[in-house]
Amino acid sequence: MKNIAYIFSLFLLLGTVNLYAQNPLDRIPGVRGMRSGTGTGQDSLKRRDNTEDSITIRFRYLDTSRLMMLDSSVTDFRVRFPLPMDYTFLGNLGLAAKPYAFSPRMVSGWDPGFHAFDIYKLRLDRIKFYQTTRPFSQLGYLLGSKSEQIIHLLHTQNIQPNWNFAFQYDLINAPGFFKNQNTNHNRYLFNSLYQSKNRRYSLYFIFMGNSMQANENGGIKDDYDYLNDVVSFSERTTIPVQLGDYVPPGQGFLNSTLNTGNRQRSSTVFIRQQYDLGRRDSLVTDSTVVQLFYPKFRMEYNFQYSGHRFRYYDSQPDSVYYRKNYDFLLTPANGFNIEEKWSEMVNDFSLYSFPDDQNPQQFLKAGISLQNLTGRFEEGRRKYYNVFVHGEYRNKTKNKKWDMEAAGKFYLTGFNNGDFDVYGSLKRYLSKTLGFAQLGLQNVNRTPSFIYETSSSFSLGEQPSFSKENITRLFASLENDQRRWKLGASYYLVSNYTYFHDYYKADQATALFNVVNLSAEKTFRVGRRWHWLVNVQFNQRVGNGPVNMPLFFTHQRFGYEGNLGFKNLVFSTGLEGRYHTSYKADNYSPLQSQFFYQDTQTISLKLPDIAAYVHFRIRSFTTYFRLENLNTMRLKDGSFGFTNNNLAAPYYPYPGAQLRLGIFWGFVN
């Protein structure tokens, strides 16, 4: 609790603001809706008077020069919520999650192999670098059933016109509906972008951290139909679970105790320095002279240092469970702990060439990197290194009709010697009717993740020697933002796919297999203010690959989007749901935090997941009110409750009805 108080105090100091209670965010012309299918397309925030109190906020990501604007739409709750609709998770916010569709790792090089909590983490390639004419702060708080909490704090301001910084903190804490599934995730970020006055020198700085903690219950016991016994087990915290059954129900507000489960922590310092050579120019207006600079050649140096810690802990281990699933004996009185630590340092030097000095979004890039790795395991310390080269060509044409990108990386020597990945895409504007079309190719040849190595602390027993994975992806899309529809297709060709087929047993599918993914999304205008969003996915495996996916998945939303006659109100209400066909869903290994392939148990939805929502924004104040999992309502044996639970994976039920109330407020100084 002290840490939370400190963070709130820091946020208030950084974001001391004049609320201008009538219209704080009304003065933000640089904030608008960007997402297809998430609003009416008529965002009142785009129309602002150019007064002394006005503010413009734009941002871009680390490896792109395209400026974008903040999303102020209210229809899509997932803009504020960490789990996308097309993800499955283990029944409580913050627990392990993965997409329904096939999603292999398409990056070469070293990888520790722990990705079950990736969706909740900050990532370097998604860090936003802001440009704002006035200090801006955002406070978000979401409260859900069973004391579920999400806290979001953001502050950004320009110290000088050419120097911006941003601070962000996020908390997810959710005790859950079932025993011993409490999660407590923290992530924090400080980043800054500085450009010299002559625009030749740029300095990027990022310091970020992710602390993921999830108690693991191993699923509910499988020796009785607890879910359907609503007389004895209407209160779901009384259902026996396979791990941490000793933990008393109701773990309390912001509880952060790790009883039995995983704690994964990472921190990263990233520094990028760039120096440009090129042509200076100026733009003369009636009152000012604007200095311009067109780069022709760029030198870039990147430094990155990251620390990673992966830990599994059980304070009162159940020897029967570990003997049955992991084939080893434990003494309950001694506790059980497995830990692995990594430090990673990367030094990179790159050169850029800009063929058209008036188009900075067209460039050629070539670079070389040295990566040093140190792993700390139960038996001691090991050191590794990699040397790899990389290159890229990117061109966003001035008329915005063509968007071309090609990139590649190859490991010359070191632990991942021979790894490579290549990517190429071509995007073209066709017409107002068809919008944009894109074609692309991606291929990766990679060493299996380190968790498949015998020397890993989480490798339980001798692992076989695995060959490099090779995955090719062909993809295409057709997208029209104005008419609010898009189509997509991906075709995967997979060989030497590495996977777990039991709680701890690893294997490799040497036979070639294919995966096809088709997707479509369209927002239909049913009436003047009524809209129907339909999103569908088709997934098909060809061959004997160890991949589990539902053949069909759909997410749909039907509701009203308008202002109810009030000028400053943006209002959205309706129903949304998701459904997938029956399939043999992956099971989950708590000790290694890995989803693993199984082909014996079929997961079927009793009813589609259904939610009712009311979302609205009044100027800078946004509220989300939702009642989710209405499909779990049941009347049985004279007992009424929300106990008709769907299953996410074998023995992992989704919760009953959940009430969520979220408030997000923007402040301008």
Side-chain angles (χ1 to χ4, degrees), residues 16 64 174 208 252 349-350 397 440 451 471 505 526 560 638 650:
T16 303
T64 179
M208 69 177 189
F349 182 73
S350 300
T397 57
I451 196 171
I471 304 174
K505 297 176 182 177
V526 180
Y560 170 89

Side-chain angles (χ1 to χ4, degrees), residues 128 159 241 246 250 258 343 353 420 472 479 505 581 603 626:
K128 297 176 181 177
I159 302 171
V241 294
Y246 59 88
L258 181 64
S343 61
S353 174
F420 65 84
T472 300
E479 184 172 356
K505 297 176 182 177
T581 53
I603 298 299
R626 301 174 59 83

Side-chain angles (χ1 to χ4, degrees), residues 53-338:
D53 290 333
S54 66
I55 178 174
T56 300
I57 302 176
R58 293 183 174 89
F59 71 90
R60 62 186 178 90
Y61 296 111
L62 182 64
D63 288 317
T64 179
S65 59
R66 299 178 188 177
L67 289 172
M68 292 173 278
M69 297 181 181
L70 297 177
D71 189 349
S72 62
S73 60
V74 300
T75 303
D76 188 0
F77 176 62
R78 303 291 161 159
V79 172
R80 305 289 190 184
F81 196 70
L83 281 172
M85 284 297 290
D86 59 350
Y87 265 60
T88 180
F89 64 106
L90 296 183
N92 186 36
L93 178 63
L95 289 179
K98 64 188 290 288
Y100 283 107
F102 184 54
S103 182
R105 184 167 178 80
M106 299 289 288
V107 180
S108 60
W110 171 80
D111 171 55
F114 301 88
H115 299 289
F117 304 103
D118 279 4
I119 194 62
Y120 308 106
K121 297 178 180 178
L122 292 171
R123 292 169 28 191
L124 270 179
D125 61 339
R126 303 305 295 172
I127 300 302
K128 297 176 181 177
F129 289 90
Y130 296 91
Q131 282 293 319
T132 175
T133 56
R134 298 179 67 85
F136 174 73
S137 303
Q138 189 177 75
L139 170 64
Y141 181 71
L142 186 145
L143 179 64
S145 302
K146 300 293 183 180
S147 300
E148 176 186 280
Q149 323 261 340
I150 295 180
I151 296 174
H152 169 73
L153 306 174
L154 169 68
H155 177 77
T156 182
Q157 71 179 72
N158 274 55
I159 302 171
Q160 297 175 0
N162 56 331
W163 186 7
N164 175 272
F165 81 91
F167 166 78
Q168 179 180 330
Y169 172 76
D170 297 283
L171 166 73
I172 296 175
N173 183 276
F177 280 64
F178 295 84
K179 191 180 297 186
N180 195 49
Q181 58 175 198
N182 178 74
T183 59
N184 190 74
H185 298 339
N186 294 267
R187 61 184 195 181
Y188 50 88
L189 167 69
F190 178 85
N191 65 296
S192 178
L193 170 58
Y194 169 80
Q195 283 188 310
S196 61
K197 291 182 179 180
N198 63 10
R199 301 175 67 99
R200 291 180 181 272
Y201 176 76
S202 299
L203 173 64
Y204 298 77
F205 176 81
I206 297 173
F207 175 67
M208 69 177 189
N210 297 288
S211 178
M212 307 287 112
Q213 179 176 292
N215 281 295
E216 308 275 10
N217 64 19
I220 64 176
K221 293 278 190 178
D222 59 355
D223 55 349
Y224 180 75
D225 190 1
Y226 297 99
L227 292 179
N228 285 316
D229 188 348
V230 296
V231 176
S232 303
F233 297 102
S234 59
E235 174 52 56
R236 293 330 217 179
T237 56
T238 61
I239 294 178
V241 294
Q242 301 191 57
L243 284 173
D245 200 43
Y246 59 88
V247 178
Q251 300 185 48
F253 178 77
L254 293 181
N255 183 282
S256 60
T257 302
L258 181 64
N259 305 302
T260 298
N262 284 281
R263 179 178 289 146
Q264 301 182 5
R265 294 177 175 173
S266 65
S267 59
T268 297
V269 175
F270 178 87
I271 299 172
R272 168 174 290 179
Q273 299 183 78
Q274 295 176 335
Y275 188 81
D276 292 349
L277 301 176
R279 178 172 60 89
R280 297 182 62 181
D281 201 348
S282 61
L283 177 66
V284 180
T285 66
D286 292 338
S287 57
T288 61
V289 177
V290 179
Q291 297 297 326
L292 302 174
F293 180 75
Y294 300 104
K296 288 291 292 183
F297 183 77
R298 173 177 294 166
M299 294 172 286
E300 177 183 278
Y301 171 70
N302 295 321
F303 172 81
Q304 177 183 335
Y305 182 84
S306 301
H308 309 274
R309 181 183 179 185
F310 308 99
R311 184 192 184 204
Y312 176 83
Y313 174 72
D314 191 341
S315 60
Q316 298 183 32
D318 182 345
S319 58
V320 175
Y321 175 86
Y322 290 101
R323 177 62 178 174
K324 173 185 175 183
N325 296 308
Y326 296 99
D327 198 27
F328 59 78
L329 293 174
L330 291 173
T331 304
N334 295 337
F336 179 53
N337 183 76
I338 296 181

